[in-house]
Amino acid sequence: MLVVWLWCVVLAGFGLASDRRVCPYCKDDAALLAASGLLTHAPTAIGALGAGTREEFEAKLVGPAWVFAETAHLRIAFAPGPSNVDQGDRKAIDAELDKLRALLPSVPVKPKKLDPFLRLHLIALRGERLYERVQEVLRVSDADFPEQRESGKPYMGNGRFLGEKDKFELVIHATVAQHRAFTRELAGVEVTDALRWHVNSAHKLLASIPAAEAEFKDDRWLFPHIAHNLTHSMFCAYKHYSYEPPPWLDEGLALAMEKEIELVAQTLEGEEGTLRDVKTPSDPWAAAKKLGLSGKVKGLAELLYAKNHTELTPERALLAWTMVRFLIDEHGEAFARFAGDVKGQLGPDGRPSGANLVDLQREKLREHFQWTPQQFDEAWKAWLTAKR
Ligand SMILES: [Zn+2]
Ligand SMILES: [Zn+2]
């Protein structure tokens, strides 16, 4: 009985995996892969897993139904199945599919469902677009990041990927059990919600994301959540992840990128990893305005002192979003200099140092904006008052 059962499982697993071997859109054709911004659909070394055959790779990851994509800056492993297109997302998805169809002619017109390869291609395209957008906000490009730190040049970290040595990785699981097994293997802890991890040996950042919850079943909500996590990875990597960036700045930027994609999406940092806030305000601007002008939170003069993400309550995180939004929209150049200086502080010995980040931020606020934290708050509140 047991043997029969096992045999059935093996057959079912094999059937599923073999159906998913070849991408129906680019057909693993080199020219089509390149046209759609992909280097390969083959599994490559993700996390601490070495490269291997697909079978070896799939045996190491829980579940047989993985599909893979590697782009110029990203490596993606994706396990969820097909998703329905949310009606609220129909126009946006159709526009994305139109762009993808120009590159891959067999992409369907207005499909009811998106199959895993289509979802993967869209995540790859959108992920690269996010990479460009974060670089635009930080006013940097790939050319600014040498392979190694160069003496006599401004410090930019230790590698080509914003200051890290290797690409950014996204592992998107179909079940929480898969995600927990993966985080246990990678980090030695079982985490329920999304986990970001610096793989020290390879100098790369990875985000492991469970896409099992109802709110992540379709890409309207999943992608903003991916973007939030990827932005954190990118900002941490910027000029090398040598110390934790100030939480208000890190969170504010991640929320800014997430909300550029979907205004009402809001990812929260929890004790058990990063999750989507299901009680997110339906009008975040109105909520932020009410809170920011209420005096309940003092503003940056208060948020500067938050030492970690758990000290940023959902309310304070919402305000951090508007603060970073204000800086990007009204003082973009100065914001980029501020963020770069805060991320790349060097100690007296010339090594990266996360010492006295509050003092550093006060100094850089004065240098790049001519503001004290109190003056920042006045300017930000005036902007928030006039907003909509
Ligand atoms: Zn493909
Ligand atoms: Zn966050």
Side-chain angles (χ1 to χ4, degrees):
M1 198 57 192
L2 186 64
V3 173
V4 173
W5 180 80
L6 274 177
W7 182 236
C8 290
V9 170
V10 170
L11 271 183
F14 184 73
L16 198 53
S18 64
D19 287 342
R20 296 177 74 163
R21 300 239 152 196
V22 180
C23 171
Y25 306 106
C26 65
K27 300 168 183 76
D28 290 357
D29 171 83
L32 289 175
L33 277 166
S36 61
L38 262 56
L39 303 178
T40 178
H41 271 308
T44 43
I46 280 191
L49 304 176
T53 66
R54 183 179 289 269
E55 287 75 12
E56 282 166 353
F57 199 89
E58 287 172 348
K60 288 183 212 162
L61 290 164
V62 179
W66 291 89
V67 290
F68 304 90
E70 181 166 348
T71 65
H73 305 98
L74 308 170
R75 260 181 228 118
I76 308 162
F78 185 85
S83 74
N84 293 318
V85 177
D86 181 301
Q87 273 321 303
D89 207 21
R90 187 77 255 179
K91 262 175 102 169
I93 286 287
D94 286 343
E96 295 282 347
L97 291 177
D98 288 346
K99 279 184 222 154
L100 192 57
R101 199 177 310 105
L103 312 169
L104 304 173
S106 54
V107 166
V109 179
K110 294 187 190 301
K112 281 206 176 70
K113 278 180 185 288
L114 304 178
D115 66 43
F117 271 111
L118 214 41
R119 297 181 80 185
L120 180 65
H121 267 286
L122 288 176
I123 291 170
L125 275 183
R126 290 168 151 196
E128 278 293 330
R129 208 180 301 143
L130 180 72
Y131 202 92
E132 250 175 63
R133 176 66 183 133
V134 170
Q135 286 199 329
E136 184 179 67
V137 166
L138 298 173
R139 313 270 163 134
V140 291
S141 69
D142 282 354
D144 292 315
F145 299 96
E147 187 87 43
Q148 299 278 349
R149 183 173 177 182
E150 293 175 348
S151 59
K153 299 239 175 99
Y155 175 67
M156 294 303 280
N158 291 320
R160 292 193 295 119
F161 300 95
L162 298 174
E164 289 285 336
K165 288 253 177 274
D166 204 356
K167 297 187 182 186
F168 292 85
E169 298 183 338
L170 293 167
V171 183
I172 302 161
H173 303 270
T175 66
V176 174
Q178 270 185 354
H179 166 71
R180 288 180 71 91
F182 183 80
T183 62
R184 185 180 57 230
E185 189 72 23
L186 179 74
V189 284
E190 288 198 14
V191 180
T192 304
D193 301 305
L195 174 83
R196 294 184 298 275
W197 192 254
H198 184 242
V199 183
N200 288 324
S201 51
H203 293 281
K204 62 182 179 181
L205 278 123
L206 176 147
S208 179
I209 299 172
E213 304 297 328
E215 61 264 33
F216 294 141
K217 285 286 181 208
D218 66 66
D219 294 350
R220 178 179 183 186
W221 303 110
L222 178 59
F223 191 72
H225 184 59
I226 292 174
H228 184 106
N229 281 287
L230 193 52
T231 304
H232 274 306
S233 291
M234 290 173 65
F235 192 56
C236 283
Y238 182 34
K239 300 193 182 188
H240 194 265
Y241 187 24
S242 303
Y243 53 86
E244 291 296 328
W248 78 272
L249 182 59
D250 189 24
E251 196 55 36
L253 182 63
L255 284 170
M257 296 300 104
E258 178 177 17
K259 287 178 177 293
E260 281 188 8
I261 296 159
E262 177 61 64
L263 180 64
V264 295
Q266 182 161 346
T267 294
L268 288 182
E269 302 301 321
E271 303 263 332
E272 277 283 286
T274 301
L275 63 153
R276 188 180 151 224
D277 183 2
V278 284
K279 297 190 292 283
T280 177
S282 57
D283 185 345
W285 278 116
K289 202 165 164 172
K290 197 170 154 204
L291 181 67
L293 304 178
S294 72
K296 204 172 143 197
V297 180
K298 283 200 196 81
L300 188 61
E302 182 178 330
L303 294 194
L304 265 185
Y305 294 92
K307 285 187 201 65
N308 52 50
H309 284 280
T310 44
E311 283 182 24
L312 277 185
T313 58
E315 286 184 330
R316 291 163 125 210
L318 192 71
L319 291 186
W321 159 59
T322 63
M323 289 172 182
V324 170
R325 195 69 266 167
F326 163 59
L327 293 176
I328 293 174
D329 291 351
E330 304 297 327
H331 304 275
E333 191 69 47
F335 173 71
R337 286 200 299 271
F338 174 81
D341 285 353
V342 170
K343 271 301 285 145
Q345 176 175 239
L346 298 176
D349 60 357
R351 290 165 179 263
S353 163
N356 303 324
L357 286 186
V358 171
D359 291 345
L360 175 70
Q361 291 179 84
R362 287 176 171 279
E363 182 194 319
K364 294 298 168 185
L365 213 52
R366 191 178 296 279
E367 181 183 334
H368 297 307
F369 304 94
Q370 292 78 51
W371 283 330
T372 62
Q374 288 70 20
Q375 287 167 329
F376 167 92
D377 284 333
E378 282 164 28
W380 160 69
K381 278 183 191 169
W383 174 82
L384 197 58
T385 306
K387 194 85 191 159
R388 290 208 297 190

